[in-house]
Amino acid sequence: MRLVVAECAARYTGRLSAHLPRARRLVVVKADGSVLLHSDGGSYKPLNWMSPPCSLAVGEPDDEQRAAGVTQVWTVQHAKTDDRLVIDLYEVHHDSAHELGVDPGLVKDGVEAHLQELLAAQIALLGSGHTLVRREYPTAIGPVDILAKAPDGGSVAVEIKRRGDIDGVEQLTRYLELLNRDPRLSPVRGVFAAQEIKPQARVLATDRGIACLVLDYDAMRGVDDVDARLF
């Protein structure tokens, strides 16, 4: 990644036309080819940018540009369209390049895979006497997050979401229709588990005989001391 802090102006042409007058900005050139111009405000959003695939060419200013103080002209051309970003650089205050390597990406706390793992390890949250059969139990339309056995010998299919809405209830309903056709598993009841369950989803689940279970992610991973709560 190349970071350039410079007095610059920019012109964008193509699907739209835009102009940035001269000011001090941060120009970011990423390894994927993208070029972004940032100000000292506006949070994460650049003032203008060019997304890959594109190419960057550094040229000399013409006489008129040189007379105005331009020292370099960067032309960023998109490979598949006529979009072009031209950056006139005046005074460069900083220019550095850094090898960042491969980024593993954002890891979100409380994603469905984490919740599934925690609930499988704490299957008693479904009720005393429940036992885990397996995670990702396969069906013809996709895997059920968790299949468990109830104390009465029946099966329990659990669908896990971070935020439970109607679509999740519909998904679990389809799983239950298939699983209840299997005499080895039938009867199979459903549990819709999520960190937050929307009221409409709860009403639909109740109407279809599906239990709802709200998952406390912090408590499940031992971060939140439930006994120490005031409320």
Side-chain angles (χ1 to χ4, degrees), residues 52-70:
C54 58
S55 59
L56 169 63
V58 179
E60 294 294 324
D62 58 27
D63 292 341
E64 183 179 350
Q65 291 171 319
R66 187 174 287 106
V70 177

Side-chain angles (χ1 to χ4, degrees), residues 15 33 54 91 123 126 138 146 160 163 175 185 199:
R15 290 166 294 178
C54 58
E91 184 179 359
I123 202 67
L126 298 179
I146 286 179
I160 300 173
R163 291 179 177 85
Y175 288 144
L185 301 176

Side-chain angles (χ1 to χ4, degrees), residues 216-231:
D216 187 331
Y217 179 65
D218 286 338
M220 291 172 72
R221 62 187 183 133
V223 173
D224 183 23
D225 185 353
V226 178
D227 294 332
R229 292 179 182 175
L230 294 177
F231 304 99

Side-chain angles (χ1 to χ4, degrees), residues 115-133:
L115 292 169
Q116 182 191 117
E117 181 180 357
L118 288 167
L119 184 55
Q122 302 171 45
I123 202 67
L125 290 174
L126 298 179
S128 178
H130 283 73
T131 56
L132 176 68
V133 175

Side-chain angles (χ1 to χ4, degrees), residues 109-182:
D109 278 346
V111 297
E112 291 167 17
H114 294 164
L115 292 169
Q116 182 191 117
E117 181 180 357
L118 288 167
L119 184 55
Q122 302 171 45
I123 202 67
L125 290 174
L126 298 179
S128 178
H130 283 73
T131 56
L132 176 68
V133 175
R134 67 168 289 178
R135 295 166 54 189
E136 299 288 332
Y137 187 87
T139 77
I141 57 173
V144 177
D145 288 330
I146 286 179
L147 186 69
K149 274 291 184 184
D152 61 7
S155 302
V156 181
V158 185
E159 180 62 27
I160 300 173
K161 301 292 184 185
R162 291 187 67 218
R163 291 179 177 85
D165 56 21
I166 288 177
D167 289 343
V169 178
E170 294 285 5
Q171 183 180 358
L172 179 54
T173 300
R174 293 192 293 271
Y175 288 144
L176 291 171
E177 289 175 355
L178 280 177
L179 293 170
N180 272 301
R181 297 176 190 172
D182 188 340

